[in-house]
Amino acid sequence: MPYRSLSFIPNFNDHNIFSNRFNQIDKMFSTLTGEKPISDTPSYNICQINEVEYQLILSIPGYEEKELDISVHNNQLSIQGKKENKLENNKVKWLHKGIIFNNFSLSFNLDHKIKVKKAELSLGLLKLDFECNIPEEEKPKKISINIPNNTKQIDKK
């Protein structure tokens, strides 16, 4: 299960010029090592809506709500997808199978200040809305510099 910190650092995605080559190398190494390829996990975006609201968007086309499980436990967000392949059970003879629905599992470590507000599935995108409220005592405070009144200023002439 890949673990990811819910940080706001950009992620490699399919628009990267090297992503296709990376996916090929990833699949080759996973064949050799027996590990699940990293590229099999769904692509996702994290965006900041405003000062306190953020959104995580996963690309999971073909998944239905009943095939997804989203939970938060001990500040860890887990998203799992288990696809029910109805055609696999009917012993269909595939002529070409380019669309593969793999089960997936993603985990993100959440700071205690981050709360999941809602999840929505629409058009193959799973959107999770977050709120990050930083208490006043944890926000940085500006310290002003005072100049004592007894200091003399030098006039330049």
Side-chain angles (χ1 to χ4, degrees):
M1 171 184 320
Y3 289 93
R4 289 171 173 76
S5 174
L6 188 61
S7 63
F8 305 109
I9 298 171
N11 182 34
F12 285 90
N13 59 34
D14 289 337
H15 299 294
N16 188 308
I17 192 167
F18 300 109
S19 67
N20 189 37
R21 182 66 61 202
F22 171 78
N23 290 346
Q24 292 171 351
I25 293 169
D26 182 37
K27 289 180 194 282
M28 180 181 69
F29 278 113
S30 66
T31 302
L32 295 172
T33 62
E35 295 289 322
K36 184 177 179 179
I38 295 171
S39 57
D40 279 354
T41 58
S43 299
Y44 65 91
N45 293 336
I46 299 174
C47 59
Q48 183 174 3
I49 306 299
N50 58 40
E51 197 173 298
V52 295
E53 295 177 326
Y54 297 86
Q55 191 173 65
L56 170 67
I57 305 170
L58 275 78
S59 175
I60 51 170
Y63 281 85
E64 298 177 34
E65 180 185 351
K66 65 183 179 182
E67 298 168 325
L68 300 171
D69 181 44
I70 305 168
S71 63
V72 177
H73 181 67
N74 291 334
N75 292 336
Q76 184 174 327
L77 170 66
S78 295
I79 305 168
Q80 296 181 339
K82 293 184 181 176
K83 189 70 179 151
E84 297 176 9
N85 287 330
K86 297 170 187 158
L87 294 177
E88 293 289 333
N89 298 335
N90 294 335
K91 298 184 182 182
V92 173
K93 179 181 176 186
W94 291 98
L95 301 177
H96 174 75
K97 189 172 180 184
I99 301 171
I100 299 172
F101 294 107
N102 291 326
N103 294 341
F104 69 88
S105 180
L106 289 173
S107 292
F108 296 87
N109 292 322
L110 302 177
D111 188 277
H112 71 280
K113 300 170 203 81
I114 298 174
K115 303 293 180 222
V116 180
K117 290 298 180 185
K118 72 175 184 175
E120 179 181 287
L121 180 63
S122 176
L123 301 173
L125 296 175
L126 176 64
K127 297 178 184 179
L128 284 89
D129 292 335
F130 299 91
E131 190 172 275
C132 181
N133 285 317
I134 301 172
E136 284 300 319
E137 61 270 7
E138 292 183 27
K139 289 182 181 178
K141 291 182 177 48
K142 180 79 174 166
I143 307 297
S144 61
I145 301 171
N146 293 325
I147 300 174
N149 288 338
N150 61 359
T151 59
K152 295 180 182 179
Q153 293 182 349
I154 300 173
D155 291 331
K156 293 184 181 179
K157 292 185 179 184

